[in-house]
Amino acid sequence: MNKEEELIDRLIDLAFAEDIGDGDHTTLSCIPATAMGKSKLLIKEPGILAGIEVAKEVFRRFDPTMKVEVFINDGAEVKPGDVAMVVEGKVQSLLQTERLMLNIMQRMSGIATMTHQYAEKLKGTNTRVLDTRKTTPGMRILEKMAVKIGGGVNHRIGLFDMILLKDNHVDFAGGIDKAINRAKEYCREKGKDLKIEIEVRNFDELQQVLDLGGVDRIMFDNFTPEMTKKAVDMVAGRYETESSGGITFDTLRDYAECGVDFISVGALTHSVKGLDMSFKAC
């Protein structure tokens, strides 16, 4: 089992623990254990569907006898009235898995929908939209999966798979040169093959990075589009470039047209609205 699968398994376990506890007494009290039925996932709002594969795992983990028939797959555009899947099995199982499945799919579909809008706005440029670590605790792996389904690109998953020297790291380390050199030395000592990215706040810091080298990507923090264009010209293709900080949907294209490789957008995961859908008996 890889790390992604392990995190999803642990999330599902925790989600059932917090929702069902010692039993769904509403369902158990009024639905016979032998009752069988079907429910359909009904889409109520236009967007991009995400979470079908995770939903199938939720059903399988709770009751392997449940049968899932998928009509619309992850990444597809959906509209009100669409039926994404029909699930057949014990009515008790349908009722007990309903909310967890909907919580996951609504959240993931909302993220995929917003990401798709950002990716569409970048069409015709060489810039890709990135997510961040501004995610719901425990749900990061699902939210980052949704970003990819929507056409975006994952930044690092966590603190373990990339070195990102931000302003606080630079200040605590005592400067750009010390932060970069210590990161490189750490990777050598630990035998780690990690990409190194560094955030710069102004052109003086950018020039220090360019003079020293030894990084893979440079992030321009809170630069204006005009500053970004100048920064991209200074880097001249030697390193990957990323814009971050205060970039909105309305200003996204302005930054992309500066030639930056990536734009990171925290809003993809930290302030997204879930896509409206319901799980109804059929």
Side-chain angles (χ1 to χ4, degrees):
M1 181 183 294
N2 61 33
K3 187 172 184 64
E4 183 176 295
E5 292 169 336
E6 179 189 349
L7 288 171
I8 292 172
D9 271 356
R10 290 166 68 183
L11 167 61
I12 292 173
D13 286 340
L14 177 60
F16 278 133
E18 73 176 358
D19 197 34
I20 296 178
D22 71 345
D24 172 9
H25 302 304
T26 308
T27 295
L28 296 176
S29 68
C30 65
I31 304 296
T34 56
M36 305 296 288
K38 291 182 183 181
S39 291
K40 62 183 178 182
L41 182 63
L42 180 66
I43 305 301
K44 302 168 73 174
E45 185 178 7
I48 303 297
L49 191 69
I52 285 285
E53 293 304 313
V54 183
K56 287 163 63 177
E57 183 63 13
V58 167
F59 295 132
R60 187 195 68 79
R61 288 280 302 281
F62 188 80
D63 180 354
T65 68
M66 299 174 82
K67 297 175 182 176
V68 182
E69 186 175 5
V70 175
F71 300 107
I72 305 174
N73 290 304
D74 286 338
E77 292 190 28
V78 291
K79 62 185 185 304
D82 284 347
V83 174
M85 65 179 166
V86 171
V87 185
E88 182 177 1
K90 296 174 184 175
V91 175
Q92 287 189 352
S93 296
L94 292 171
L95 291 170
Q96 289 179 91
T97 53
E98 173 186 341
R99 179 47 53 195
L100 174 55
M101 178 276 294
L102 283 173
N103 284 347
I104 288 172
M105 289 211 59
Q106 288 183 290
R107 179 77 180 161
M108 289 184 68
S109 297
I111 291 169
T113 298
M114 180 179 281
T115 304
H116 178 73
Q117 293 167 354
Y118 275 74
E120 284 292 301
K121 187 137 187 179
L122 292 175
K123 271 195 170 178
T125 73
N126 293 318
T127 306
R128 305 293 301 276
V129 64
L130 292 174
D131 53 25
T132 68
R133 285 171 52 242
K134 297 174 183 177
T135 55
T136 308
M139 285 194 68
R140 178 177 298 171
I141 198 70
L142 300 187
E143 293 180 347
K144 283 183 171 280
M145 284 171 60
V147 166
K148 290 177 72 174
I149 289 169
V153 177
N154 292 155
H155 204 289
R156 55 183 179 164
I157 299 299
L159 297 173
F160 56 87
D161 57 335
M162 183 180 187
I163 289 179
L164 173 48
L165 302 167
K166 294 181 71 69
D167 52 357
N168 281 338
H169 298 96
V170 170
D171 291 343
F172 281 127
I176 294 278
D177 55 342
K178 290 184 176 65
I180 293 176
N181 286 332
R182 286 175 184 172
K184 291 165 64 178
E185 183 179 348
Y186 175 88
C187 288
R188 283 194 298 269
E189 288 178 354
K190 301 295 184 181
K192 297 284 187 183
D193 183 21
L194 297 172
K195 282 194 170 186
I196 298 175
E197 177 174 8
I198 188 161
E199 177 183 274
V200 297
R201 293 164 283 192
N202 51 55
F203 292 116
D204 177 59
E205 289 187 345
L206 174 57
Q207 191 58 57
Q208 289 180 54
V209 174
L210 295 176
D211 289 342
L212 185 63
V215 299
D216 299 282
R217 185 184 301 172
I218 303 173
M219 177 193 292
F220 311 133
D221 181 45
N222 285 303
F223 279 34
T224 65
E226 292 75 23
M227 293 169 66
T228 302
K229 179 68 171 67
K230 179 180 176 181
V232 169
D233 290 343
M234 288 174 65
V235 174
R238 284 174 284 176
Y239 307 102
E240 291 180 339
T241 56
E242 175 183 339
S243 289
S244 180
I247 300 169
T248 67
F249 185 74
D250 292 334
T251 61
L252 187 76
R253 184 89 187 186
D254 296 334
Y255 283 88
E257 289 175 350
C258 295
V260 70
D261 296 309
F262 302 100
I263 298 175
S264 51
V265 179
L268 296 182
T269 53
H270 72 54
S271 57
V272 71
K273 172 189 170 298
L275 195 72
D276 196 10
M277 59 185 73
S278 60
F279 199 46
K280 294 296 185 184
C282 60

